Amino acid sequence: MTLETLVENPSIPEESTSALSTPYDPTDFDANVMTTYGRFPIALERGEGCRVWDTSGRDYLDFVAGIATCTLGHAHPALIETVTQQIKTLHHVSNLYYIPQQGELAKWIVQHSCADRVFFCNSGAEANEGAIKLARKYAHTVLEIDKPVILTAKASFHGRTLATITATGQPKYQKHFNPLVPGFAYIPYNDIQAVEEAVTELDEGDQRVAAIMLEPLQGEGGVRPGELDYFLRVRKICDETGILLILDEVQVGMGRTGKYWGYENLGIEPDIFTSAKGLAGGIPIGAMMCKTFCNVFEPGDHASTFGGNPFACAAALSVAQTLEREHILHNVQERGEQLRTRLRAIAHRYPNLVSEVRGWGLINGMELNADIDLTAIDVVKAAMDQGLLLVPAGPKVVRFVPPLIVSAEEVEEAVQVVERAIATLSA
Ligand SMILES: *Cc1c(COP(=O)(O)O)cnc(C)c1O
């Protein structure tokens, strides 16, 4: 093989030197790793852009992106360059010292959002824990509430730690883990009357609602966008009562909806919000943002050993700068429109199978008809057989969260696979 053909086909040498070129044998894995996930019988070995390859060399179009995480796709040159340089220079130091990359990333977030201050950690659940602690301290020290309650929505998802499964309004995540954390109450999503009633009913003795915590669009709960009027009125209730509005932007933040932050789709600003998944394009990071008036943490109140280290912050800064430099939000809006239009055409052709297509930017859901046996996992498996990776969001919703750099051709390819999968399943 000539050098020219190698350069033209960068995948060839990697494939031929791959240690694994057979289907993955999961025996050792299953014997040693806890069984906390149901897994598909493949192992992904390599990725480039929106495509990934499994150990037997088969390629897939990746519309999962590590669950809304790999915003720049796989092996993006800017991310490779940044993390390579950073790990050669300095990858981790304690927050006992100033970390310039952390300061720069915080400055970028403050300049590109409604936030005044940022705290860094490592995951979505940890960011939400920080938000819950900040809201509770604000309740005790400013609002003077002895027993603060945080309202969260049914069908929400806020993470897997004890406080965040409590915040998560879905009993299936809480089962067998009681006693849960006190101080949470649940309301149906997009229902303003329920908010008004809960705020009144929970005002009893030392107890009062201190914060309302919501996703701008419910991700895991079935890709349900927040309604404009609902969020405007929640904001108004918070303004009138002093209740804090916390938005969980872990899945929708950092460009996924075609705007940097999900709340920009709703015409309001939160007092506190969190981000994680896509923030550093797949390098672990979490962040909790707040406005000045509720910035009540003092030294010793909260911490994270890894939080905000030079490596993760340099990666996130590189993602942020790439989104800006390459006008990727514009692509998110256009590809999102294209995807919804094409999926709605499928829904139109198979009204007995598909009931609705909804979403913002590049977080979209295809809901299957409630009256039939077909589940989201059936569609996910059928699509996987045809070379497309998708992920369910609940039992009946198929979720589409590709890298934000996805091309028009790749969206078209994905839609054609979905159409074939639906056609096969309808037969
Ligand atoms: C994924 C997710 C979380 C949890 O994030 P982890 O990084 O897994 O802890 C929290 N909230 C929302 C909305 C999410 O989508």
Side-chain angles (χ1 to χ4, degrees):
M1 194 178 291
T2 66
L3 187 60
E4 278 80 359
T5 43
L6 282 178
V7 171
E8 276 168 25
N9 300 292
S11 61
I12 290 172
E14 283 168 57
E15 255 169 14
S16 59
T17 57
S18 167
L20 298 155
S21 57
T22 48
Y24 184 67
D25 175 1
T27 312
D28 278 354
F29 188 102
D30 289 339
N32 293 289
V33 178
M34 284 194 194
T35 331
T36 56
Y37 294 91
R39 290 184 170 85
F40 296 104
I42 61 165
L44 300 172
E45 185 187 34
R46 189 165 63 82
E48 201 181 313
C50 297
R51 214 163 284 276
V52 287
W53 284 260
D54 72 13
T55 50
S56 58
R58 180 162 186 212
D59 71 290
Y60 304 83
L61 190 55
D62 183 8
F63 271 47
V64 177
I67 310 191
T69 294
C70 302
T71 46
L72 300 182
H74 302 279
H76 192 285
L79 197 53
I80 292 173
E81 169 67 19
T82 302
V83 298
T84 306
Q85 280 310 318
Q86 195 58 53
I87 204 149
K88 281 184 184 167
T89 315
L90 186 72
H91 71 290
H92 177 81
V93 289
S94 167
N95 281 294
L96 291 169
Y97 317 104
Y98 281 100
I99 299 172
Q101 294 80 5
Q102 183 182 141
E104 259 191 86
L105 176 60
K107 185 176 172 185
W108 189 93
I109 293 172
V110 166
Q111 285 177 343
H112 292 80
S113 76
C114 65
D116 297 315
R117 288 288 190 282
V118 188
F119 170 83
F120 290 106
C121 50
N122 310 287
S123 69
E126 203 185 343
N128 287 335
E129 286 273 342
I132 292 164
K133 280 179 70 178
L134 186 68
R136 283 190 172 183
K137 184 171 182 192
Y138 181 80
H140 286 291
T141 60
V142 181
L143 300 175
E144 297 183 330
I145 305 174
D146 263 354
K147 291 183 181 161
V149 177
I150 298 178
L151 288 183
T152 67
K154 292 180 180 165
S156 60
F157 184 79
H158 298 295
R160 300 295 201 132
T161 62
L162 267 178
T164 58
I165 59 166
T166 310
T168 294
Q170 297 194 60
K172 71 170 178 181
Y173 292 108
Q174 302 169 341
K175 197 176 163 212
H176 301 315
F177 298 120
N178 51 309
L180 296 174
V181 176
F184 290 89
Y186 311 99
I187 43 171
Y189 192 59
N190 280 335
D191 178 347
I192 194 65
Q193 202 184 333
V195 178
E196 286 162 359
E197 284 169 10
V199 168
T200 311
E201 276 167 27
L202 293 165
D203 188 351
E204 197 179 37
D206 295 340
Q207 173 187 275
R208 210 154 27 106
V209 174
I212 303 174
M213 180 168 170
L214 299 165
E215 292 158 89
L217 169 154
Q218 289 190 328
E220 307 296 317
V223 190
R224 275 169 222 292
E227 287 168 14
L228 206 72
D229 190 51
Y230 171 73
F231 273 87
L232 287 175
R233 290 174 69 184
V234 170
R235 180 68 267 177
K236 191 154 172 278
I237 290 171
C238 291
D239 290 341
E240 286 165 4
T241 56
I243 293 171
L244 292 171
L245 179 57
I246 305 172
L247 293 186
D248 178 344
E249 297 253 0
V250 168
Q251 188 154 169
V252 297
M254 209 48 189
R256 170 100 1 227
T257 71
K259 308 200 185 280
Y260 282 122
W261 309 105
Y263 66 77
E264 293 174 58
N265 298 279
L266 295 167
I268 53 134
E269 290 182 357
D271 304 312
I272 299 173
F273 66 105
T274 55
S275 177
K277 286 191 168 84
L279 187 55
I283 306 298
I285 192 168
M288 190 263 291
M289 281 60 72
C290 76
K291 296 214 173 182
T292 304
F293 81 92
C294 54
N295 176 31
V296 291
F297 277 165
E298 295 164 297
D301 277 344
H302 199 48
S304 168
T305 298
F306 288 126
N309 79 22
F311 186 77
C313 290
L317 205 53
S318 170
V319 169
Q321 289 163 351
T322 305
L323 290 183
E324 271 192 299
R325 189 179 59 243
E326 297 180 7
H327 308 288
I328 290 173
L329 295 192
H330 186 66
N331 187 59
V332 176
Q333 291 161 13
E334 292 208 324
R335 298 290 75 76
E337 275 296 324
Q338 179 193 353
L339 180 63
R340 281 186 299 280
T341 304
R342 297 285 285 109
L343 289 178
R344 280 179 185 139
I346 296 176
H348 195 71
R349 280 195 288 283
Y350 296 91
N352 53 329
L353 266 63
V354 181
S355 59
E356 197 188 10
V357 172
R358 57 177 179 257
W360 290 340
L362 284 173
I363 177 161
N364 292 289
M366 186 175 81
E367 181 148 30
L368 304 170
N369 212 317
D371 310 329
I372 53 164
D373 277 344
L374 189 66
T375 62
I377 204 80
D378 296 330
V379 177
V380 168
K381 281 181 181 159
M384 196 167 157
D385 283 345
Q386 312 224 23
L388 171 67
L389 301 184
L390 295 171
V391 59
K396 282 287 189 176
V397 178
V398 183
R399 181 170 23 171
F400 297 76
V401 281
L404 306 186
I405 55 161
V406 71
S407 69
E409 294 73 28
E410 286 162 336
V411 168
E412 190 53 38
E413 183 184 335
V415 169
Q416 284 176 15
V417 172
V418 173
E419 171 118 47
R420 278 203 298 278
I422 294 280
T424 311
L425 291 165
S426 84

